[in-house]
Amino acid sequence: MKLIRTIDEMRRLCRAAHAGGARLGLVPTMGALHEGHLSLVRAARARSEVVATTIFVNPTQFGPSEDLAQYPRNLENDCALLEREGVAFVFAPSVEEMYPGGAATWIVVEGLSDRLCGRSRPGHFRGVTTVVSKLFHIVEPDVAFFGQKDAAQVAIIRRMVRDLNIPVAIEVCPIVREPDGLALSSRNAYLSPEERKSALSLYRSLNRVRQLFANDERDSAKLIAAAKQEFAKEPALRLDYFEIVDPDSLEPALAITKRSLAAVAAFLGKTRLIDNILLEP
C-alpha cells in the first residue's frame, strides 16, 4: 500500500493503474475509520481491481462553530486498517495541497444543498461537492463508494455527477450498525456512556416509523408525529429535523406512494448525529 501526499503523484499512480487495464474504485473518507468505512472498502475490492482511499478532513464543509479542530484524526491507525483490507493507494493530502492560495471556485448543487442537513449547516454541501469533485478529477475512478448513512450527500453527489457529466459510477452501501442499532459514525467517539444510550432514540424513532409503515400508514405527517413522540421520551436529545423525503430530490413526501427516505438529525450536547431508513411501498 502506498501513502500519497501530493496531487501529482496520486494522479500519476491512478493513471498508471488505468493504463494497465485495471478498474479503479474510490472510497473517499475523512479518516477516523470504523467498520462502516471498511464495509465500503470491501465493496470496492469486490468490484474493482485497484482500490484507492482518500483521508482528508475537509475544512470547507465545517461551519465556524463546528468541530473541525476536534474531529478525530489517526492516520497511522487508519493506514494499518486499510493495508489489511488490501487498499492500493491512500491519498492523504494537506489542506494547502487541496486548496492552494487564492482558490475561488466552488461546486454548488442548487436547491438540494439547502435541504435536510444543508438547511441547518449552511455551506456544508458546497464544501462536500467541491472537494468530492476535486477528488474525482484527481483520481479519475471508474466507481466511487459512499454510505447510505449520508443519504443527502449521496443524492447531491449523484446530481452533481449527472449534471457535470463526470464519468464515475456512484455505488451506495448499506448503513453499518452496532448490535443495538446505533449507526456507526466517527462522531460516536465524542459520546459519553450516558449520551451513547440516549443516542439510540434516533434508531428507535426510525423503527417506530418503520412499524407504522409496515401497518399501512402512508401519511408522512402522522409518521413524523410518531417519531417525535419517541424523541420526547429522551430529554437529552435536541431534534434538528425528522423528515420524510424523496431520496433523489430531497423534497418532502406528503404521502408515501413511492420509495421514500425517513431521515433524522439530532444533537447530544455538541455532538450532531444523523440516521435514516428507506421506506418501500
Side-chain angles (χ1 to χ4, degrees):
M1 188 183 79
K2 294 183 179 178
L3 175 63
I4 300 123
R5 297 290 196 171
T6 68
I7 290 170
D8 286 346
E9 185 184 4
M10 187 64 179
R11 184 171 276 145
R12 178 180 62 79
L13 289 169
C14 291
R15 287 181 175 175
H18 270 139
R23 179 175 168 86
L24 179 57
L26 172 65
V27 181
T29 83
M30 292 206 300
L33 302 183
H34 52 64
E35 193 61 27
H37 297 111
L38 298 182
S39 73
L40 303 181
V41 171
R42 290 168 195 144
R45 280 197 63 209
R47 300 171 208 177
S48 319
E49 284 82 39
V50 174
V51 176
T53 300
T54 63
I55 297 176
F56 179 63
V57 181
N58 176 36
T60 65
Q61 68 190 69
F62 288 79
S65 61
E66 293 184 339
D67 58 343
L68 174 60
Q70 290 77 36
Y71 196 85
R73 296 165 171 85
N74 192 337
L75 182 61
E76 184 178 349
N77 183 67
D78 289 345
C79 286
L81 291 172
L82 294 172
E83 188 160 29
R84 285 200 292 270
E85 294 294 338
V87 169
F89 309 137
V90 175
F91 181 45
S94 66
V95 173
E96 294 73 24
E97 181 74 6
M98 289 298 288
Y99 295 102
T105 302
W106 298 97
I107 303 294
V108 179
V109 179
E110 298 284 356
L112 271 72
S113 295
D114 299 324
R115 295 170 188 155
L116 296 184
C117 292
R119 187 180 304 116
S120 53
R121 301 182 70 188
H124 168 69
F125 285 125
R126 181 182 78 159
V128 170
T129 44
T130 299
V131 78
V132 171
S133 174
K134 289 166 77 72
L135 292 172
F136 285 170
H137 283 95
I138 293 164
V139 178
E140 297 179 333
D142 296 289
V143 57
F145 295 80
F146 295 88
Q148 172 64 29
K149 186 171 77 70
D150 298 303
Q153 172 179 282
V154 165
I156 291 165
I157 289 171
R158 276 180 163 160
R159 183 68 62 86
M160 175 188 76
V161 165
R162 188 200 73 174
D163 290 355
L164 298 183
N165 305 111
I166 301 174
V168 58
I170 303 299
E171 292 282 345
V172 184
C173 300
I175 296 173
V176 178
R177 300 183 181 277
E178 298 281 7
D180 58 8
L182 184 68
L184 291 184
S185 169
S186 299
R187 288 186 168 94
N188 289 351
Y190 299 155
L191 301 176
S192 69
E194 283 305 309
E195 287 174 333
R196 172 68 178 70
K197 293 176 184 176
S198 298
L200 290 174
S201 284
L202 275 76
Y203 190 50
R204 281 197 292 266
S205 70
L206 291 167
N207 267 338
R208 179 64 177 144
V209 167
R210 197 196 323 256
Q211 290 163 2
L212 291 170
F213 183 78
N215 289 326
D216 297 325
E217 180 58 73
R218 296 292 183 268
D219 186 310
S220 290
K222 292 180 181 177
L223 293 171
I224 292 169
K228 289 182 177 179
Q229 286 177 356
E230 282 296 322
F231 268 92
K233 299 175 185 177
E234 185 47 73
L237 270 171
R238 177 165 60 88
L239 182 64
D240 184 359
Y241 65 76
F242 194 107
E243 295 190 37
I244 297 177
V245 300
D246 180 284
D248 298 316
S249 69
L250 306 182
E251 292 180 351
L254 301 181
I256 304 174
T257 59
K258 60 181 181 178
R259 191 170 188 250
S260 298
L261 175 78
V264 59
F267 289 91
L268 271 167
K270 294 183 178 180
T271 304
R272 187 175 184 277
L273 302 175
I274 61 173
D275 201 349
N276 66 80
I277 58 170
L278 288 166
L279 303 172
E280 306 268 5

